[in-house]
Amino acid sequence: MGGDSSKLFSALKPFSEKLRSVVENGTEISVVTHLDADGITSGSIIATALARLGAKCSVRTVSDMTPSVIERMKAEDHEFYVVTDLGGGMAANFRKALGDRWVVIDHHQIPEEEVLTDDTGQVLNAWKYGIDGGIEVPAGGMAYMVASTLDRKNRDLSAVAVVSAVGDRQDQGDKKSFLGLNKEILGTAKMLGLVNVDLDIMLTGRETRPLHEALAFTSFPYIDGLTWNRDNCYALLKDAGIKLKDNGRWRVPAEFSQEEKSAILDAVAKFVVTSSKTSASVIDDLIGYVYTLAGEDKRSQLRDAREFSTLLNACGRIGKSGVGIAICMGDRNAMLSAGEDISTEYRTTLRNYISTIFSERWRVADDGKIALINGDGLVAEDMLGAVSSLLSGSPTLAGRLIFVRALSKDGTYKFSSRKSLGCTSQANLGLIMRHCAEQFNGTGGGHSAAAGCRIPSASLDPFLSCLRSAVYDSKFTTAS
């Protein structure tokens, strides 16, 4: 691990005791978290841990943390706030609005002055302890560390923390393995029999989709002629002699034997060799570690950690975060079936966004290094992160820094940025988004390879100029 985990462990005890005393005093607690998979998991983990202590506790999600959201929190006047996966760089705003009635559990890069001025230990952030919150631990992992410090029984929440890590794309080790604290948390989940880890073909819908559909819907890696093309995938697998049905029922990828999986890979490899647009290395990219939640039903969307995280992202982005939170906190009945319907809607919406972006060429300004995507009148602001993530895997935009924008209901512009596949730029998007947004009374931040911001609409043109120069400025090229 890059950081000093002993510093984090020594900070966890007083931080957890602060929360324990808030609960014991009968204080009513509002957990405010981000609406993506990491936000929903981190908020759910901490809410579960607090509820087990007997806390009066509610959870809600917001699109991002801005001064106006903090003012709303002040007006609501809950007795205490726990903010997860949000609020990096905003300690001064919290202090001014809420006094000492708040804590933040986060993993996004924060300014040095926030580290130096947190005398009361209200900010538990990975970067304070030299831990890379971009690849070593997400907010779900940080929330899990607090929960397991409050009570060792909360180690059963380690499986949800594994979901947060894959949801935040922190499977950045060799063959999509975990690094740093994520690896330690995974070790606990494995030891408790909650998560199984296997080297396998990484297909979207490993537990739920017919094999040919799973291959078609797998966009990382992108395989020209197969990705998004169900008919071609079906024909390829059928011609290879793969048994796609069992007693009239479609077989899902998790049900195939190792021998059959070898035959599937051989068929894809032969197809790739004949395709001039796809590199042979995609076969290597298809093999990686998969994380199976052993306690979930087979063929359930919750059994594969990546599918689980996609379901949570769908809930948050479609405006049904409560469904995702309920599932994370144990609901396996009505909420799970609602979540499956939400997933279908989410996939359809995303597919429509991406096809419109590429068919309406005026939406993409691409100079080969930076791609600016105009989502105005198309992309809902809460879907921006999902759109930029999907675009980052498109071969059309390979090697670029991607910035997607949309006009919000409140008249501000919201941006989401990503480094695309094959991007070698050393630019730190989190630092760039914060710097450029703050020049125009906006807010922003994130990680080296994924970040976001919000700015006043009148500042759009000068903001874009700031972006274009900042990506080449060595001040903003630190490690993730």
Side-chain angles (χ1 to χ4, degrees), residues 193-196 292-297 303:
L194 301 170
V195 175
N196 299 324
T292 303
L293 277 68
E296 302 294 347
D297 292 341
R303 191 166 166 85

Side-chain angles (χ1 to χ4, degrees), residues 134-439:
I135 57 172
E136 293 185 84
V137 67
M142 293 296 288
Y144 167 77
M145 297 304 290
V146 175
S148 59
T149 305
L150 280 167
D151 191 331
R152 279 174 62 80
K153 289 178 186 170
N154 291 328
R155 292 187 305 161
D156 65 337
L157 301 173
S158 55
V160 185
V162 168
V163 173
S164 76
V166 293
D168 212 52
R169 297 204 172 175
Q170 296 207 5
D171 47 355
Q172 296 292 317
D174 185 46
K175 296 290 179 196
K176 297 284 184 184
S177 59
F178 284 178
L179 305 166
L181 260 184
N182 286 324
K183 192 174 182 179
E184 293 180 27
I185 295 168
L186 174 63
T188 300
K190 284 166 65 179
M191 181 189 70
L192 295 174
L194 301 170
V195 175
N196 299 324
V197 183
D198 299 286
L199 204 55
D200 203 346
I201 309 176
M202 293 191 305
L203 296 177
T204 299
R206 199 171 62 91
E207 289 280 351
T208 56
R209 287 186 177 279
L211 177 63
H212 64 289
E213 286 193 9
L215 181 57
F217 286 125
T218 298
S219 53
F220 294 96
Y222 183 95
I223 303 174
D224 193 62
L226 295 182
T227 300
W228 304 115
N229 195 321
R230 274 185 286 195
D231 292 343
N232 280 6
C233 290
Y234 177 78
L236 174 79
L237 295 166
K238 194 157 177 51
D239 290 349
I242 307 294
K243 185 185 173 191
L244 296 174
K245 282 188 172 182
D246 189 16
N247 292 327
R249 179 177 65 77
W250 291 110
R251 298 172 72 200
V252 301
E255 294 174 328
F256 287 80
S257 68
Q258 284 306 121
E259 193 178 332
E260 288 175 307
K261 286 172 184 172
S262 294
I264 293 164
L265 282 174
D266 284 345
V268 175
K270 284 172 186 164
F271 178 88
V272 167
V273 167
T274 64
S275 167
S276 59
K277 291 185 182 174
T278 304
S279 160
S281 69
V282 299
I283 301 302
D284 279 343
D285 295 338
L286 272 174
I287 306 291
Y289 287 101
V290 296
Y291 305 92
T292 303
L293 277 68
E296 302 294 347
D297 292 341
K298 288 185 176 178
R299 298 178 72 94
S300 153
Q301 266 190 291
L302 308 185
R303 191 166 166 85
D304 177 78
R306 291 187 179 92
E307 276 194 83
F308 195 152
S309 72
T310 301
L311 171 66
L312 297 180
N313 264 323
C315 292
R317 306 286 184 192
I318 294 287
K320 301 281 177 63
S321 300
V323 173
I325 290 163
I327 291 169
C328 283
M329 294 182 76
D331 192 314
R332 292 293 177 273
N333 299 311
M335 287 303 177
L336 181 53
S337 56
E340 287 167 349
D341 292 340
I342 289 165
S343 261
T344 304
E345 182 188 345
Y346 173 72
R347 280 193 300 269
T348 305
T349 304
L350 260 183
R351 214 160 36 240
N352 291 341
Y353 285 163
I354 300 300
S355 62
T356 303
I357 285 167
F358 283 125
S359 62
E360 298 180 355
R361 291 174 180 258
W362 61 270
R363 291 187 178 275
V364 182
D366 177 14
D367 66 6
K369 291 188 177 174
I370 300 170
L372 300 171
I373 316 292
N374 183 342
D376 288 359
L378 174 68
V379 181
E381 64 173 289
D382 289 346
M383 293 287 280
L384 272 179
V387 169
S388 63
S389 288
L390 205 50
L391 288 173
S392 72
S394 163
T396 312
L397 298 173
R400 274 79 156 178
L401 296 171
I402 296 173
F403 298 90
V404 188
R405 75 171 188 261
L407 195 56
S408 302
K409 290 175 189 157
D410 65 2
T412 59
Y413 265 109
K414 191 172 176 188
F415 277 77
S416 177
S417 62
R418 297 287 185 274
K419 287 183 180 176
S420 68
L421 286 178
C423 180
T424 56
S425 170
Q426 294 301 301
N428 184 316
L429 294 174
L431 297 181
I432 288 168
M433 291 303 240
R434 175 178 291 131
H435 166 76
C436 290
E438 286 177 351
Q439 302 302 301

Side-chain angles (χ1 to χ4, degrees), residues 46-66:
I46 207 69
T48 300
L50 293 172
R52 287 173 176 177
L53 286 176
K56 293 179 285 184
C57 183
S58 61
V59 192
R60 68 185 175 95
T61 62
V62 294
S63 179
D64 51 352
M65 187 58 67
T66 62

